[in-house]
Amino acid sequence: MTNALHDLTLAQAAELLRTRKLSPLEYVNHQIARIETYDVQLSAFITPTFDLARQQAKTAETQIMAGDYRGPMHGVPFGAKDIYETADILTTGGSRTAQHYVPTKDAAVVTKLYGAGAVLMGKLNTHEFAHGGPSLDLPWPPVRNPWGLDRFSGGSSSGSGAAVAAGFVPAALGTDTGGSIRGPASLCGIAGFMPSSGLVSRTGVMPNSFTFDHCGPMAWTVEDCALMLQAIAGHDPKDGNSFAQPIQDYKSQLAGGIKGLRIGVLRHWWEEENPANPEHLQAIEQAIDIFKQLGAHVTDCRVRSMQDYMDVKVVIAETEIFAVHQPNLISRPGDFGHDFLSRILPASLFQSVDYLAATREHRRMINEMQPIYEKFDLLLMPTFGPASPITAHRPITFWQRGNSQVLANVSGGPALAVCCGFNAAGLPMGLQLVGAPQADALVLRAGHTYELAAGLRAKRPALVAGHQAPALAPQHLTPDTSGCDADTRELAVRMAKNAELKLNEAQTEILLEAAPYAFAMTQRLRKNRNWFDEPANVFRT
């Protein structure tokens, strides 16, 4: 059994621990040995916490032997994305500006997991402040994908996705502002669940966007995500986005199948707006056939364009993260990575009227989803096809196209990424299921039912001890400002100065490359509105 410990799902490990057929300390020591052997290839961890893990495992073992079993997370190793605060443990946010930050308190979710008896193996690599990447100009190397060491592992929960896929931990904490749980889950071939807005506390998690941030589980299976969600869900009055809502037994709710479930397929997104890779397209169609065979009523559905949702998300979220980091952007912009700057500097071009226009449009989008969820129980759409090489990444692409994952953040409902197949090179591909707010159990049940029927969970990435990850060629990051005319250039430079930014020539070029796209977003949002159109941040019961 020892040789296969790292391939145990959370559910399998929990049962062995519960029945005392597996020692928590034996389990943790095995996982530590695996991490020490293979993470030199992947760079999934920023800060391992092996001494703490062994202490927690010994405590869990004593408790379980004494009959004080606390549930499926008891004695189970997990990793936390390095934006979750951990008392007396380095929490870097993946940024040079926080590389020596040691919190005095644990994030609320970490406290919950400790209370459930879970064992922290370490802090996992992340794109800078959960934003941008992959970056080669930060103190830590970018995470490699276990399925291909030259491939992108997704972002921003990159270490979480890779650590689960590599068998370092059976589950990990991620965060999702515009796909940062679901993207890495898709590219790393695991399951990733973004809960409904307000279901899981964000207290003690470095903010990206106060409007769109979600905390959630990443694991090998949907069942495992449900088990971890059970331990972390719940109202937290310290989180202004949290609200009291029913906490279901997510594990028991997985049963029952999906016969009669109404699934709307956003086919126009991957056939018209952003054509899918042929192999990914085939995998999605096969998944749709499986849902039909399972008894679901599957029909096409149309919503707005991906770009519409992206405009709203970007104007709101970039404004918020810019405000969070403005002091350091003013005093030490050179300490941020290029990719982070390419996303955050253009937020200096957004005005208060743009932010309000975006949040009023956000309210419209939320309202538009109501009749859609009266007609459909779930929506189906792609996540990502096979992972691209890390060095193929270009920061400006963030501004150039929509993102199929943003709809769920904007609408506030739960979203689940699952593996839907592998391409000819053996790289995983994904799809996602999105539900109405508080339909978490339903989304998990549908994903679990599909996952069992698809039969894709037996295949694991093959890591070889002693192998070295291939060297990464330097990224070509010279901004292309040819699309920025003289008037746009002058306006952008003036607005950046008004925001008190003191940018050097290279940083100014980063700003100017994205400026035309940022201004185009604001123009698309400036629509005729009634005086009384409310923003999305007006609370309603």
Side-chain angles (χ1 to χ4, degrees), residues 145 147 165 185-190 220 277-284 286 384-387 418-430 450 454-462:
N145 193 316
W147 297 92
S186 173
L187 294 174
C188 292
I190 66 171
W220 187 248
N277 167 292
E279 291 176 300
H280 194 199
L281 176 62
Q282 182 180 11
I284 295 170
Q286 290 173 344
F384 291 122
V418 293
C419 181
C420 66
F422 296 87
N423 75 346
L427 296 173
M429 301 174 288
Y450 163 75
L456 298 172
R457 295 295 72 203
K459 185 175 181 180
R460 295 267 188 168

Side-chain angles (χ1 to χ4, degrees), residues 49-312:
T49 56
F50 296 156
D51 289 342
L52 173 64
R54 289 188 173 104
Q55 293 171 12
Q56 292 176 330
K58 290 177 183 176
T59 300
E61 188 161 324
T62 299
Q63 292 167 336
I64 293 171
M65 292 300 292
D68 180 21
Y69 181 69
R70 301 185 178 186
M73 292 302 300
H74 205 168
V76 172
F78 76 99
K81 184 176 180 178
D82 204 25
I83 63 170
Y84 284 83
E85 289 196 316
T86 41
D88 302 321
I89 299 169
L90 185 67
T91 302
T92 71
S95 177
R96 189 173 285 104
T97 65
Q99 69 182 107
H100 303 299
Y101 173 59
V102 178
T104 59
K105 296 181 180 179
D106 294 314
V109 164
V110 173
T111 298
K112 279 180 170 286
L113 286 172
Y114 285 170
V119 176
L120 179 66
M121 299 294 284
K123 308 300 290 296
L124 297 167
N125 207 339
T126 173
H127 293 167
E128 190 165 14
F129 290 120
H131 203 41
S135 301
L136 276 64
D137 58 354
L138 298 176
W140 307 272
V143 179
R144 308 300 187 103
N145 193 316
W147 297 92
L149 297 181
D150 65 334
R151 299 285 165 160
F152 185 35
S153 63
S156 60
S157 304
S158 49
S160 299
V164 171
F168 294 166
V169 289
L173 291 172
T175 62
D176 195 311
T177 306
S180 287
I181 284 174
R182 291 161 286 154
S186 173
L187 294 174
C188 292
I190 66 171
F193 184 65
M194 185 189 80
S196 290
S197 181
L199 180 60
V200 176
S201 173
R202 308 175 304 179
T203 300
V205 181
M206 292 175 173
N208 183 322
S209 165
F210 298 103
T211 299
F212 298 122
D213 286 349
H214 298 246
C215 298
M218 302 172 70
W220 187 248
T221 68
V222 177
E223 179 184 26
D224 292 349
C225 286
L227 292 173
M228 193 177 202
L229 178 65
Q230 197 73 53
I232 64 177
H235 175 53
D236 177 9
K238 293 182 180 179
D239 178 358
N241 188 59
S242 178
F243 62 96
Q245 53 186 293
I247 306 301
Q248 301 188 41
D249 183 338
Y250 298 108
K251 172 65 163 62
S252 68
Q253 291 289 313
L254 295 176
I258 58 171
K259 186 175 182 180
L261 202 68
R262 303 166 302 167
I263 300 177
V265 176
L266 303 190
R267 188 177 296 277
H268 64 108
W269 276 11
W270 74 81
E271 290 187 346
E272 301 170 20
E273 292 186 45
N274 189 15
N277 167 292
E279 291 176 300
H280 194 199
L281 176 62
Q282 182 180 11
I284 295 170
E285 294 300 335
Q286 290 173 344
I288 290 171
D289 287 342
I290 289 174
F291 278 107
K292 290 178 178 178
Q293 293 165 15
L294 291 168
H297 301 304
V298 184
T299 55
D300 289 354
C301 171
R302 294 189 75 92
V303 294
R304 294 200 194 197
S305 71
M306 285 188 283
Q307 188 63 56
D308 278 2
Y309 297 105
M310 191 71 171
D311 290 347
V312 165

